Amino acid sequence: MLNTLQTNAGYLEQVKRQRGDPQTQLEAMELYLARSGLQVEDLDRLNIIHVTGTKGKGSTCAFTECILRSYGLKTGFFSSPHLVQVRERIRINGQPISPELFTKYFWRLYHRLEETKDGSCVSMPPYFRFLTLMAFHVFLQEKVDLAVVEVGIGGAYDCTNIIRKPVVCGVSSLGIDHTSLLGDTVEKIAWQKGGIFKQGVPAFTVLQPEGPLAVLRDRAQQISCPLYLCPMLEALEEGGPPLTLGLEGEHQRSNAALALQLAHCWLQRQDRHGAGEPKASRPGLLWQLPLAPVFQPTSHMRLGLRNTEWPGRTQVLRRGPLTWYLDGAHTASSVQACVRWFRQALQGRERPSGGPEVRVLLFNATGDRDPAALLKLLQPCQFDYAVFCPNLTEVSSTGNADQQNFTVTLDQVLLRCLEHQQHWNHLDEEQASPDLWSAPSPEPGGSTSLLLAPHPPHTCSASSLVFSCISHALQWISQGRDPIFQPPSPPKGLLTHPVAYSGASILREAAAIHVLVTGSLHLVGGVLKLLEPALSQ
């Protein structure tokens, strides 16, 4: 029933062409809230930490929630998108709410909105708005001490921005993403993100390029919001042992620094019953912004940072000869950070004896992202194979409601994958690297290939493949060697393509296979669903 609230692909295109006034959409959200039985003022009781940004906002929220939970507080956490199950978006004490709780609150809200519809309004809000409303109801009914709320897209006109009085706001690292909705420069995007600032409510941001930082500063001044710049994590580590982070990757240090300030400010404002502003660490200004306080992280803060888990972001799964590196990076700068993390991880590994190591890229990109630019950034990883597939776990998605996406059509997503392959092959040709693997001819009389697009040998690199779903891609990459991912016998035709045939024997004999899955959080979610069956239970 929830999936019927997804906007279908054709309608989405129409809406993009005739986008209405975004302010009206916020007012519509307030109307939905009222029809659901809540007033905007009711949300003030949730003691909200509101976080936006282009990259790292989810990780920042995860760090913040875990720090405050380590103080014994009852936490609510609303995030998007989900990786495996939609319940992940609404968490209490770090855990997705139970299927029973989800069902109870879903129908309660659904029926309430049905009962209050009249001729002047659409009865049901779209998917994301519905879940946002539902999260607010869950957190109020379950009496959380605080709610960490991650913005969906943008800030100013995001439906979470009906929040009037958060305790504190945060802006993680800014970059280019969702350009059709937010604008095509970092400055325009910064203007949207600064829309979550509220009068008299402290806000924190990490060091940004000068242009977007100036926009955030001006936005804060217009709104009379005290905005602070987070000192680097090193400043908070001085005089104490270094901080250990539960999330890998150098870029997580900036997210952790922001999370510490958000948690520290939240705790201070609770002590003072919401009054007062943070004391700047020193009167000096950087880019005309006061620096946030430098303080010694408490033992609870250290514990929270160390225990933070946030699946699908710089996540490593070691499975026999296979190591899966999962990162939902989907913007240029987050893919750069992902490449640095992946290469560092490979440098630090133990090299196996007795056989070659193989590196495989599994990639997809969606929306208005520039796949050619992202793929170019991935070239330095020197992959032996690049594999492309849509964000579908299986060719048929029946019995797979959490992974259904009605906002795109199947032929659209498959064409996108073929375009990604062409970009990759073009980049490979530019590199003019010699063909590492010669491809023997396929088995005579094999059935038709499940791989899309045959390879004309003179136009394509011999090391890229397109599969029609994630399951087939994983079956080819793992060759039955992942002790947990053991699907029934591979479908006929998985090896009829010459590159698939020759690559299969190389993968079967490799001493180690390193697989980087990136480009889309939804792709990472589909991969996790198959590699970690417990996440679906």
Side-chain angles (χ1 to χ4, degrees):
M1 203 65 188
L2 175 65
N3 283 348
T4 66
L5 305 178
Q6 290 189 32
T7 322
N8 72 43
Y11 179 67
L12 206 63
E13 278 307 305
Q14 184 190 332
V15 168
K16 275 185 181 170
R17 286 195 295 274
Q18 348 165 312
R19 183 164 291 114
D21 172 22
Q23 188 58 41
T24 317
Q25 294 182 15
L26 261 189
E27 287 161 12
M29 184 66 182
E30 291 189 16
L31 192 62
Y32 284 127
L33 187 72
R35 282 175 49 206
S36 77
L38 289 176
Q39 296 305 313
V40 176
E41 293 72 32
D42 294 325
L43 305 183
D44 300 347
R45 305 204 307 271
L46 289 175
N47 299 317
I48 288 170
I49 297 173
H50 201 193
V51 182
T52 188
T54 309
K55 310 180 299 294
K57 63 180 188 290
S59 301
T60 299
C61 288
F63 279 130
T64 308
E65 182 278 328
C66 198
I67 290 169
L68 291 169
R69 180 160 34 101
S70 70
Y71 278 85
L73 293 160
K74 185 174 184 179
T75 62
F77 179 10
F78 178 61
S79 65
S80 59
H82 63 275
L83 291 176
V84 178
Q85 296 196 67
V86 69
R87 299 181 293 106
E88 297 163 26
R89 294 177 183 233
I90 304 173
R91 293 170 183 260
I92 290 180
N93 287 334
Q95 293 302 311
I97 58 172
S98 68
E100 294 74 24
L101 216 53
F102 189 94
T103 307
K104 179 177 97 172
Y105 284 111
F106 174 85
W107 287 115
R108 191 182 282 181
L109 176 59
Y110 195 91
H111 292 319
R112 186 73 198 248
L113 290 168
E114 278 282 290
E115 287 160 11
T116 54
K117 70 180 177 190
D118 60 28
S120 67
C121 59
V122 182
S123 66
M124 285 297 154
Y127 187 88
F128 183 76
R129 289 189 199 187
F130 186 95
L131 288 169
T132 307
L133 292 169
M134 187 170 143
F136 290 147
H137 278 272
V138 170
F139 296 154
L140 283 164
Q141 291 291 314
E142 298 297 315
K143 296 186 169 52
V144 298
D145 294 316
L146 69 123
V148 178
V149 176
E150 180 190 356
V151 164
I153 292 177
Y157 304 119
D158 183 70
C159 67
T160 62
N161 207 29
I162 56 171
I163 299 164
R164 295 263 176 92
K165 287 187 183 168
V167 175
V168 60
C169 296
V171 182
S172 70
S173 190
L174 297 178
I176 300 280
D177 197 17
H178 299 295
T179 48
S180 63
L181 290 167
L182 305 179
D184 53 5
T185 68
V186 193
E187 286 74 15
K188 287 178 186 170
I189 289 169
W191 188 91
Q192 293 278 354
K193 306 286 182 188
I196 70 164
F197 295 156
K198 303 290 182 293
Q199 185 176 350
V201 174
F204 295 85
T205 187
V206 296
L207 190 56
Q208 314 275 5
E210 197 174 346
L213 200 56
V215 173
L216 289 178
R217 186 186 65 224
D218 295 347
R219 201 94 158 89
Q221 281 170 352
Q222 286 162 8
I223 297 169
S224 300
C225 154
L227 175 63
Y228 299 86
L229 195 57
C230 293
M232 305 283 274
L233 205 55
E234 287 79 357
L236 277 68
E237 288 175 317
E238 277 179 26
L243 294 159
T244 309
L245 306 185
L247 307 183
E248 291 188 15
E250 195 59 28
H251 55 290
Q252 294 293 359
R253 289 178 65 80
S254 145
N255 300 329
L258 177 55
L260 281 168
Q261 294 292 345
L262 294 173
H264 182 252
C265 179
W266 190 92
L267 290 162
Q268 281 197 322
R269 296 198 72 187
Q270 295 310 300
D271 288 346
R272 301 199 210 105
H273 305 291
E277 291 175 14
K279 295 270 187 291
S281 59
R282 52 179 178 271
L285 298 174
L286 194 55
W287 306 121
Q288 296 175 296
L289 278 179
L291 273 178
V294 172
F295 55 87
Q296 280 281 315
T298 65
S299 56
H300 289 306
M301 290 173 178
R302 289 176 174 276
L303 182 68
L305 290 175
R306 192 166 61 242
N307 289 346
T308 300
E309 292 177 1
W310 196 226
R313 287 79 169 178
T314 61
Q315 183 179 5
V316 180
L317 296 175
R318 292 184 175 83
R319 301 280 184 77
L322 285 130
T323 309
W324 303 91
Y325 302 82
L326 309 174
D327 192 71
H330 49 270
T331 68
S333 40
S334 57
V335 168
Q336 281 173 318
C338 169
V339 166
R340 281 196 298 274
W341 162 69
F342 179 65
R343 294 179 78 183
Q344 278 174 344
L346 286 182
Q347 278 171 356
R349 76 195 183 282
E350 285 181 30
R351 292 178 190 277
S353 54
E357 287 190 290
V358 179
R359 295 183 190 185
V360 182
L361 170 67
L362 178 57
F363 179 90
N364 192 31
T366 61
D368 48 20
R369 279 117 200 167
D370 177 358
L374 301 184
L375 289 167
K376 191 174 177 67
L377 294 169
L378 288 159
Q379 285 269 308
C381 297
Q382 297 177 310
F383 293 105
D384 300 304
Y385 291 97
V387 178
F388 304 95
C389 68
N391 297 343
L392 300 164
T393 43
E394 311 284 347
V395 178
S396 153
S397 61
T398 48
N400 208 358
D402 286 286
Q403 304 289 323
Q404 280 180 338
N405 182 356
F406 298 145
T407 64
V408 286
T409 63
L410 185 59
D411 52 352
Q412 274 176 329
V413 294
L414 292 178
L415 283 169
R416 284 289 292 262
C417 293
L418 293 171
E419 284 169 22
H420 299 161
Q421 184 189 34
Q422 285 166 352
H423 288 310
W424 183 262
N425 292 339
H426 180 65
L427 288 164
D428 255 10
E429 283 165 19
E430 280 181 357
Q431 297 246 318
S433 52
D435 184 358
L436 292 175
W437 320 112
S438 57
S441 53
E443 297 276 59
S447 62
T448 55
S449 175
L450 287 168
L451 292 146
L452 301 162
H455 276 270
H458 56 283
T459 58
C460 285
S461 145
S463 57
S464 67
L465 298 168
V466 177
F467 290 91
S468 54
C469 67
I470 297 169
S471 178
H472 292 169
L474 296 191
Q475 285 180 55
W476 181 77
I477 292 167
S478 63
Q479 293 295 320
R481 301 180 72 192
D482 183 305
I484 295 175
F485 177 63
Q486 292 287 333
S489 57
K492 278 186 174 176
L494 204 63
L495 298 181
T496 53
H497 188 289
V499 176
Y501 180 77
S502 62
S505 58
I506 288 165
L507 289 164
R508 280 196 296 271
E509 289 160 22
I513 304 165
H514 300 280
V515 191
L516 176 63
V517 183
T518 193
S520 162
L521 260 175
H522 299 283
L523 171 68
V524 166
V527 168
L528 271 173
K529 182 182 172 72
L530 295 170
L531 294 183
E532 292 271 47
L535 291 174
S536 305
Q537 285 157 19

